[in-house]
Amino acid sequence: MSFKIDRQTLDELNLLGKFRQGSVYHLFNQVKTRGGEQLLDEMFRNPLTNAEQINQRSSIFRFFQQQALSFPFDVQQINLMREYIDTSSGNSAGMVLLSVFVKKTLSSLTRDERYKKNIQGLQATIVTIKRTVGIVELLRNAGGPFTEKVDEVKKILSNPQLEKLANTDIYQALPLKKLAFYEHLLKNKMQKEMEDILSFIYLLDLNIAVGNVSAAKGFNYAIALPAGKNILAVQELRHPCIDKAIGNNLELKENSNVLFLTGANMAGKSTLMKSLGIGLYLAHMGFPVAADQFDFSVREGLYSSINVADNIGLGYSHFYAEVVRVKQAAEAAASGQRLMLMFDELFKGTNVKDAYDGTLAVTEAFAEYADCLFVVSTHIIEVGEALKATPNIQFRFLPTIMEGARPKYTYRLEQGITEDRQGMMIIRNEGILEMICS
């Protein structure tokens, strides 16, 4: 079963984006190798939905964080080895010997570089295998949850021919037959084993990078619980891409699975919802999260409606685009899946009366889906009063503190429904009325 998330949610939470500053992907993209980056891509696009697998992956990242390792390989050497292994010279030993002989002859007669590249590729392979032997011994001595993968590579490296190759002096010229022998060995007989070694190196790269990011940022690892528990409990949850972000505590559970969030504009409602969505997504990946504690029941998907825009191409107004988005969410919730759904400022594209009625009706309807978790925010605080009779809705607000005529925001959740109304005060503080009337 795959974790369901749509393009709008991915964009609103800024999860992907290799070259996008401020994206969550960019935050973790500290890998050194192309293979490590491909693994990172795969994990970001395919969150896990099995609690045991999530916790296992988290334990591996935590192990590497505790080891505080630096990537022990030369990236250029890995690239040369990759190119060497991928370049075919024939399937039989005789064909390989002939190919090496021809390349050497051409290198002395012309400017053909293939023989030189072959030697460089073999040298790089020898260096990389030596370093793999070293890191494998280090990790075996450390024990931990990565031992099974380490033992698999240890078994490959214990091959007598590879052991002999690893002890070869790369600065000493090898006879033509020896070059051909190792080329046939590595590219044909042991091609799968070489791929396994490279895959191991790429996985090391990823594990070291994620562990080091977690250590540098002060992140922690979530605990995945079975889906049936229907719980999300966080302590000091923060936005991972905001330095010195304010943390918040929150708990959603079966008999209190709807969070109704109020607060003035700029009080931090959208950022809190994004922090929650990002944390839940990273938790399903087994990645570290920006929180002191993060316990969650596995979800089948994540759905947000935070920055809904109009769609000129389809002729949608902002309000109609919001309606379409809520309809999509309703269909997802009605499917019976265990989802996390978040809505920021429902129906802000219409008049206050319709926004009030729509927010009230939609929140009441969503509250009936006990297997899902919901966050609904609004600055129409009267809706909260009308929802107080619904037993599974909890009320939190982000306060505004006035310092004279200037609002200050704590970004700390408090119990209840806000009474803050500072819209006109902000308009006056900015001198807009004076500008218009002058």
Side-chain angles (χ1 to χ4, degrees):
M1 180 180 63
S2 61
F3 187 88
K4 293 178 174 58
I5 185 168
D6 64 4
R7 171 53 59 181
Q8 179 169 326
T9 304
L10 288 169
D11 289 343
E12 287 181 342
L13 301 182
N14 202 12
L15 287 164
L16 305 181
K18 186 181 303 183
F19 305 108
R20 186 188 302 165
Q21 290 287 340
S23 73
V24 181
Y25 180 96
H26 188 270
L27 175 68
F28 284 98
N29 189 16
Q30 305 300 317
V31 293
K32 309 294 184 184
T33 64
R34 177 58 187 146
E37 189 174 71
Q38 288 173 340
L39 283 175
L40 185 66
D41 289 348
E42 182 181 338
M43 290 185 182
F44 257 91
R45 295 184 183 280
N46 298 284
L48 303 172
T49 54
N50 178 282
E52 184 178 349
Q53 292 174 354
I54 292 169
N55 290 332
Q56 173 66 14
R57 183 183 286 176
S58 291
S59 70
I60 291 172
F61 287 139
R62 184 185 294 110
F63 167 77
F64 276 90
Q65 180 175 340
Q66 292 166 348
Q67 300 307 306
L69 300 172
S70 297
F71 188 60
F73 297 89
D74 185 298
V75 175
Q76 185 177 0
Q77 297 289 321
I78 293 172
N79 292 338
L80 286 171
M81 177 180 173
R82 172 83 273 170
E83 184 178 351
Y84 176 73
I85 297 301
D86 288 344
T87 305
S88 176
S89 296
N91 296 324
S92 68
M95 289 179 65
V96 173
L97 179 58
L98 177 61
S99 175
V100 172
F101 174 76
V102 169
K103 288 173 185 175
K104 182 176 182 181
T105 302
L106 289 174
S107 70
S108 61
L109 297 175
T110 68
R111 294 183 178 180
D112 193 300
E113 294 285 323
R114 288 177 295 171
Y115 181 70
K116 179 182 177 181
K117 285 187 176 180
N118 262 25
I119 294 176
Q120 290 174 337
L122 179 58
Q123 291 171 334
T125 303
I126 293 170
V127 170
T128 302
I129 288 174
K130 282 183 179 179
R131 294 191 179 182
T132 306
V133 170
I135 191 66
V136 161
E137 288 305 314
L138 177 66
L139 293 173
R140 285 189 82 245
N141 292 334
F146 202 60
T147 302
E148 183 178 348
K149 182 66 68 175
V150 170
D151 286 342
E152 290 174 4
V153 177
K154 171 72 174 176
K155 185 177 180 180
I156 295 172
L157 295 171
S158 64
N159 180 291
Q161 292 172 323
L162 281 188
E163 288 180 340
K164 185 176 180 180
L165 177 64
N167 292 319
T168 300
D169 183 356
I170 65 170
Y171 299 106
Q172 182 179 354
L174 291 176
L176 198 66
K177 286 187 177 181
K178 186 71 72 174
L179 287 172
F181 170 79
Y182 281 126
E183 187 162 332
H184 181 60
L185 173 71
L186 299 173
K187 295 185 180 184
N188 292 284
K189 289 185 176 181
M190 299 191 70
Q191 185 181 35
K192 181 184 180 302
E193 287 81 357
M194 292 300 101
E195 291 292 344
D196 290 344
I197 288 175
L198 284 168
S199 295
F200 175 76
I201 292 169
Y202 300 148
L203 187 56
L204 278 179
D205 183 18
L206 175 67
N207 290 338
I208 291 171
V210 173
N212 289 346
V213 169
S214 179
K217 294 289 185 179
F219 293 168
N220 290 288
Y221 295 90
I223 298 174
L225 305 169
K229 289 185 177 291
N230 204 36
I231 188 170
L232 175 61
V234 299
Q235 298 287 325
E236 291 299 311
L237 173 71
R238 310 176 291 281
H239 194 294
C241 300
I242 299 177
D243 291 334
K244 299 179 181 179
I246 303 297
N248 276 290
N249 303 339
L250 180 65
E251 182 176 11
L252 297 171
K253 51 189 177 182
E254 191 160 350
N255 60 354
S256 184
N257 66 313
V258 181
L259 171 65
F260 190 80
L261 178 63
T262 53
N265 288 326
M266 300 192 297
K269 300 189 299 296
S270 298
T271 300
L272 176 63
M273 296 173 76
K274 289 177 182 179
S275 301
L276 193 60
I278 291 168
L280 190 67
Y281 193 83
L282 288 174
H284 280 82
M285 291 166 56
F287 272 48
V289 296
D292 289 357
Q293 184 175 340
F294 199 110
D295 299 345
F296 71 104
S297 298
V298 173
R299 303 282 93 191
E300 294 174 80
L302 173 62
Y303 194 98
S304 73
S305 180
I306 298 175
N307 300 317
V308 179
D310 56 9
N311 191 318
I312 296 175
L314 293 176
Y316 289 0
S317 67
H318 182 89
F319 173 66
Y320 190 69
E322 288 183 294
V323 172
V324 170
R325 189 66 177 160
V326 172
K327 179 183 178 182
Q328 293 169 346
E331 291 171 346
S335 68
Q337 296 176 323
R338 296 179 182 273
L339 306 171
M340 175 78 185
L341 301 102
M342 302 184 299
F343 303 90
D344 186 28
E345 302 285 3
L346 278 171
F347 307 124
K348 50 183 174 285
T350 188
N351 63 77
V352 175
K353 177 64 170 64
D354 284 343
Y356 170 90
D357 292 339
T359 301
L360 176 61
V362 167
T363 305
E364 287 178 328
F366 279 141
E368 296 180 7
Y369 293 97
D371 289 337
C372 293
L373 303 176
F374 298 90
V375 180
V376 177
S377 83
T378 184
H379 60 264
I380 305 176
I381 59 179
E382 293 80 5
V383 177
E385 297 297 331
L387 289 170
K388 283 187 174 179
T390 307
N392 61 322
I393 298 180
Q394 56 176 295
F395 301 91
R396 299 286 187 276
F397 73 96
L398 288 162
T400 304
I401 298 174
M402 297 306 300
E403 294 183 345
R406 293 283 175 181
K408 179 182 177 182
Y409 307 104
T410 69
Y411 307 115
R412 286 280 191 183
L413 278 173
E414 294 188 15
Q415 294 274 357
I417 301 171
T418 186
E419 296 292 336
D420 298 331
R421 297 176 186 271
Q422 280 84 33
M424 278 304 299
M425 184 174 295
I426 293 172
I427 290 172
R428 292 192 183 97
N429 287 344
E430 294 301 318
I432 294 173
L433 299 179
E434 289 80 355
M435 292 173 64
I436 294 173
C437 297
S438 60

